[in-house]
Amino acid sequence: MRAIVKSKPEKGLWMEAVNVPQPGPDEVLIKVTKASICGTDKHIYDWDGWASKNIEPPLILGHEFVGIVSEIGSAVEGVSPGDRVSAEGHVVCSNCSNCRSSRYHLCPHTKGIGVNVPGAFSEFLCVPLCNVVSIPDGISDEMASLLDPLGNAVHAALSFEVSGQDVIVTGAGPIGIMAALVCQQLGARHVVLTEVNAYRIDLARKAGVRHVVDVRQSDLQTVMQNLSIKEGFGVGLEMSGNQDAVNTIINAGKNGCCLALLGISNNKLVLPWNDIVFKMIHLKGIYGREIFGTWKASMELLQNGLDIEGVITHRLPFEDFEYGFSLIESGTAGKIILEM
Ligand SMILES: [Zn+2]
Ligand SMILES: [Zn+2]
């Protein structure tokens, strides 16, 4: 079969012929139909500092996907060939104290599909049965291939009560845009999304985010006054990993506000410590999804009318992955879906 492989410890990815994996007793073999490109894949493509420390070539990339079950291991029950599925991208240990308290997303021994074990940019992949997620009717293949990044957005948005609250989201990458749309869907009073990149601002507006603020051109305080946000935002979702955005979100939060932090940075970020103390701010780090509550919530939001179609900007044949990565490099893409 063909697969997109990080075969050498240098910039680039290569399409290679590899063997179809054989499912072990507790594993499921999935024929991939669509996969989407994630920022993580771009780090691995670029072979940056994080990738060279964490990735061992050769590795098949990809963790955001949907496919059809093709074969099941001898001990597998509850999933059958022909089922339409996706999978949680973190394979956990089941033995640590967090796993044993059903807090699988906090497992310190987690292995990433397409990061530590073979991934989904491939005609077939094998995953443990416990990672498989069945996709209900009414959720399209495209939406199903986005459940992983949507799950990051939903995990952040569900971390605190947002209904009736004024919410600020900093950073209009695909996850930031989806998080803003989720907060709108959940009944936040106002959702304000801040960004500095013109392409992303346009993408966020077209995707349906009602208040997108270019903080280079507009004064956030004025925007807040116009929306009669008097004391500041009750909830903030930091999606950029940018120092200015971190300062903005802490500044614009009201006393006792709740902040979910998802954006990561290659630089050391400085937190305005005294502001956090005196404003009595609640901080929560967000990584991945809660396994599997976030998956259920994400699918229910989609079934209930959440529309994230606007974050998809390109659908490319599997073979054109190089073009996909060049679009991400140039900053002119939202989510890119590779079609197998
Ligand atoms: Zn991802
Ligand atoms: Zn564990």
Side-chain angles (χ1 to χ4, degrees):
M1 66 172 187
R2 293 167 311 152
I4 299 169
V5 185
K6 186 78 188 177
S7 24
K8 294 173 263 183
E10 60 187 67
K11 184 169 179 172
L13 289 172
W14 297 271
M15 178 83 80
E16 293 190 351
V18 299
N19 292 331
V20 176
Q22 291 301 303
D26 296 320
E27 290 183 335
V28 174
L29 181 69
I30 301 166
K31 184 173 188 1
V32 178
T33 49
K34 292 184 197 293
S36 73
I37 303 179
C38 173
T40 303
D41 304 320
K42 180 68 167 60
H43 289 293
I44 301 173
Y45 179 95
D46 288 341
W47 202 243
D48 64 9
W50 172 83
S52 58
K53 257 187 236 128
N54 290 284
I55 305 298
E56 275 181 45
L59 173 80
I60 301 173
L61 264 62
H63 57 273
E64 304 177 356
F65 75 99
V66 63
I68 305 287
V69 173
S70 141
E71 212 181 306
I72 57 172
S74 55
V76 168
E77 284 178 23
V79 171
S80 310
D83 287 0
R84 201 163 60 105
V85 296
S86 182
E88 164 57 43
H90 292 102
V91 180
V92 298
C93 80
S94 304
N95 278 319
C96 70
S97 61
N98 279 323
C99 283
R100 293 196 142 203
S101 319
S102 306
R103 302 194 300 169
Y104 300 106
H105 63 294
L106 299 176
C107 176
H109 308 298
T110 185
K111 288 194 175 73
I113 292 174
V115 175
N116 311 109
V117 298
F121 288 171
S122 150
E123 289 179 65
F124 294 88
L125 90 157
C126 251
V127 300
L129 171 66
C130 54
N131 282 64
V132 172
V133 177
S134 292
I135 305 299
D137 293 342
I139 292 179
S140 68
D141 278 355
E142 283 193 348
M143 291 303 112
S145 78
L146 295 183
L147 281 168
D148 168 300
L150 172 61
N152 287 281
V154 169
H155 184 184
L158 291 185
S159 287
F160 307 109
E161 182 67 55
V162 298
S163 80
Q165 293 286 341
D166 295 319
V167 179
I168 180 169
V169 183
T170 47
I175 294 179
I177 294 173
M178 289 190 283
L181 293 171
V182 170
C183 292
Q184 288 183 176
Q185 173 92 356
L186 291 172
R189 186 174 77 136
H190 294 303
V191 180
V192 174
L193 175 58
T194 65
E195 177 56 62
V196 294
N197 173 295
Y199 180 89
R200 289 181 161 192
I201 288 166
D202 188 48
L203 186 65
R205 287 187 177 135
K206 285 185 181 143
V209 181
R210 287 192 282 273
H211 303 293
V212 186
V213 178
D214 183 342
V215 282
R216 292 165 313 173
Q217 288 173 10
S218 307
D219 173 41
L220 183 61
Q221 292 300 327
T222 310
V223 172
M224 290 165 67
Q225 269 167 26
N226 292 341
L227 295 172
S228 58
I229 300 171
K230 294 198 174 75
E231 296 176 16
F233 293 90
V235 175
L237 311 178
E238 206 308 291
M239 300 293 186
S240 71
N242 175 279
Q243 183 68 59
D244 292 339
V246 168
N247 297 344
T248 297
I249 207 165
I250 286 173
N251 237 325
K254 69 179 181 186
N255 284 4
C257 68
C258 299
L259 304 183
L261 310 176
L262 183 143
I264 53 172
S265 174
N266 289 330
N267 306 313
K268 283 212 167 89
L269 296 181
V270 178
L271 282 181
W273 194 266
N274 289 359
D275 290 340
I276 295 171
V277 173
F278 289 127
K279 285 181 142 184
M280 293 166 274
I281 294 175
H282 300 251
L283 298 178
K284 182 184 176 190
I286 305 289
Y287 172 69
R289 298 141 300 281
E290 287 188 1
I291 307 169
F292 280 89
T294 306
W295 284 85
K296 184 169 179 286
S298 301
M299 292 193 283
E300 288 172 355
L301 283 163
L302 287 171
Q303 288 174 312
N304 197 30
L306 173 69
D307 181 3
I308 55 164
E309 183 126 10
V311 299
I312 304 171
T313 54
H314 299 81
R315 290 137 175 113
L316 302 176
F318 186 44
E319 300 72 37
D320 290 352
F321 69 93
E322 281 281 4
Y323 176 55
F325 280 93
S326 74
L327 286 168
I328 294 176
E329 175 104 40
S330 67
T332 53
K335 286 309 279 188
I336 298 173
I337 295 184
L338 300 176
E339 299 179 328
M340 299 295 171

